[in-house]
Amino acid sequence: MQAIARPLARVAPKHVRYAGTVSAWSAVPAGPPDPILGVTEAFKADKDPRKINLGVGAYRDDKGKPYVLNAVQKAEEQLADANPDKEYLPITGLAEFTSAAAKLAYGAESVPLKENRIAVTQSISGTGALRIGGTFLGRFFPHVKTIYLPVPSWGNHTPIFRDSGLEVKGYRYFDKKTVGLDFAGMIEDLKNMPAQSIVLLHACAHNPTGVDPTPEQWKEISNVIKEKSLFPFFDMAYQGFASGDTSRDAFAVRHFVAEGHQIALSQSFAKNMGSTASAPEEKARVDSQLKIVIRPMYSNPPLHGARIASTILRNEALYGLWESEVKLMADRIIEMRSRLFENLVQQNTPGEWSHIKKQIGMFSFTGLTQPQTKALAEKAHIYMTADGRISMAGLNGRNIDYFSESVSKAVKGDL
Ligand code: CBA
């Protein structure tokens, strides 16, 4: 469909006219800004030099700039030298990329990987992977077509799965009182779900809370999911960002697979989606249906990013460099957590702030209230999502003190 906005508002302000008829779009209501990406729009419109964007979860270096990894730059140089063609990719993407990405997630020793039982497709970002997975489940999952999301979860999960044709419900995850995991509540809710429902799990670095189950808790979650024959759909958007170690962060996914669960997995680093099958022949059938899901959406995925990622993942020196850079990024975020915590305590900020240091990954769920986040945007030019989530990567040596002072004032009501 082509949506053509008619520039004819002066002729008929309420009912825009085109060729004598009322515009097809005259009754389209204005939609609200996106709760996460809308924050970037507000940030961009602000002209104050002190402004800080802690909305979107995208890495920034210590100067606040987007960071192009050296491993990526070197892979691009290698690719430019090789001067490959720019031909269309197959529907499921670049095979050498998807196999390297699956190895990164499942581990080189993964049994279903060795037995060629994992149907993998390259997608357009993690968002695309979730949508392909959701649509596939909506079409073929033979049991309860309800997906349970942790409360809270990444804001886009609900519309993605609803648009995929699944019913969306929630399970307890975050405990506001302890600012930690509501493990007992989560287990109780898993036990009360109708058997053979779908459950969405954040593989590591939970968004937005930064609160993950421990390995022991993951084992218990796996047992309950097995007892109830639930279908685990993992979203792994931050492998490496939680601990700085890609294998450690893949613990939950690998444990579930080792325990014999059949899982679906959406990977986002270079965006990939996969599902385990019981046999290579079944995998081939799943593959064929994934192609049928994808073809009417966008035909085939972009080539360049997949080539860069596969160059890094398949070259020992570049892989080592990439791993060390992931660690560097994770460590910088961890350092910012300590500095923010220390500053808030030093400034006698009312409340308990140790959760800032305990939380894991890209985000901190600060506990700031909606009026406080609003005041921070309007008076201090500091932008974050309304639920008080901050992207830790937006903090750096230049803005951490200004940020801490402003938060401290907002909490004291002095802003
Ligand atoms: N799953 C989770 C849990 C995520 O946090 C995100 C990204 C995605 C989508 C999937 P991709 O960018 O590959 O499509 O990943 N979430 C954000 O980092 C941001 O990119 C965030 O700030 O929450 C977003 O689109 O909202």
Side-chain angles (χ1 to χ4, degrees), residues 14-261:
K14 276 206 177 134
H15 297 288
V16 178
R17 285 185 179 280
Y18 173 60
T21 59
V22 173
S23 164
W25 321 130
S26 59
V28 174
D34 183 82
I36 297 174
L37 301 182
V39 174
T40 302
E41 289 170 30
F43 167 79
K44 281 190 177 157
D46 190 328
K47 298 282 172 268
D48 194 283
R50 293 167 299 173
K51 67 179 180 174
I52 307 176
N53 184 9
L54 306 176
V56 71
Y59 188 76
R60 299 284 179 261
D61 65 13
D62 199 46
K63 295 187 183 71
K65 297 274 176 262
Y67 176 55
V68 181
L69 280 75
N70 290 317
V72 170
Q73 285 180 31
K74 290 203 158 83
E76 280 194 308
E77 281 161 23
Q78 282 189 14
L79 283 172
D81 290 345
N83 194 22
D85 65 52
K86 310 280 186 208
E87 192 48 271
Y88 276 137
L89 280 174
I91 299 173
T92 49
L94 189 67
E96 63 230 39
F97 161 63
T98 49
S99 63
K103 204 162 117 188
L104 180 73
Y106 295 91
E109 296 313 311
S110 159
V111 176
L113 197 61
K114 282 185 174 168
E115 292 176 353
N116 189 27
R117 288 195 285 112
I118 305 183
V120 191
T121 179
Q122 183 186 334
S123 59
I124 301 183
S125 259
T127 307
L130 290 163
R131 181 59 202 269
I132 293 165
T135 303
F136 182 82
L137 288 169
R139 200 170 286 180
F140 294 107
F141 190 62
H143 307 294
V144 184
K145 291 194 204 255
T146 302
I147 187 162
Y148 289 83
L149 308 180
V151 180
S153 196
W154 179 46
N156 209 13
H157 277 146
T158 296
I160 289 174
F161 292 120
R162 211 178 36 214
D163 285 1
S164 302
L166 298 170
E167 188 186 8
V168 180
K169 290 187 175 165
Y171 62 86
R172 274 175 284 171
Y173 188 84
F174 183 69
D175 184 348
K176 279 194 186 138
K177 283 193 258 54
T178 62
V179 201
L181 181 67
D182 181 359
F183 186 60
M186 176 177 180
I187 292 291
E188 197 182 328
D189 284 358
L190 288 173
K191 285 186 173 162
N192 285 331
M193 283 172 199
Q196 301 186 311
S197 307
I198 307 160
V199 55
L200 189 282
L201 300 162
H202 293 229
C204 65
H206 182 271
N207 177 8
T209 66
V211 173
D212 282 357
T214 62
E216 286 316 306
Q217 288 171 331
W218 273 123
K219 287 179 189 166
E220 204 173 324
I221 293 166
S222 159
N223 291 341
V224 176
I225 287 184
K226 200 183 268 181
E227 274 160 33
K228 292 286 309 194
S229 303
L230 301 171
F231 184 87
F233 189 156
F234 279 98
D235 182 357
M236 184 149 71
Y238 300 99
Q239 187 181 3
F241 263 106
S243 67
D245 177 336
T246 50
S247 296
R248 232 170 102 185
D249 288 358
F251 171 82
V253 167
R254 294 182 189 177
H255 175 73
F256 270 62
V257 173
E259 285 293 293
H261 287 278

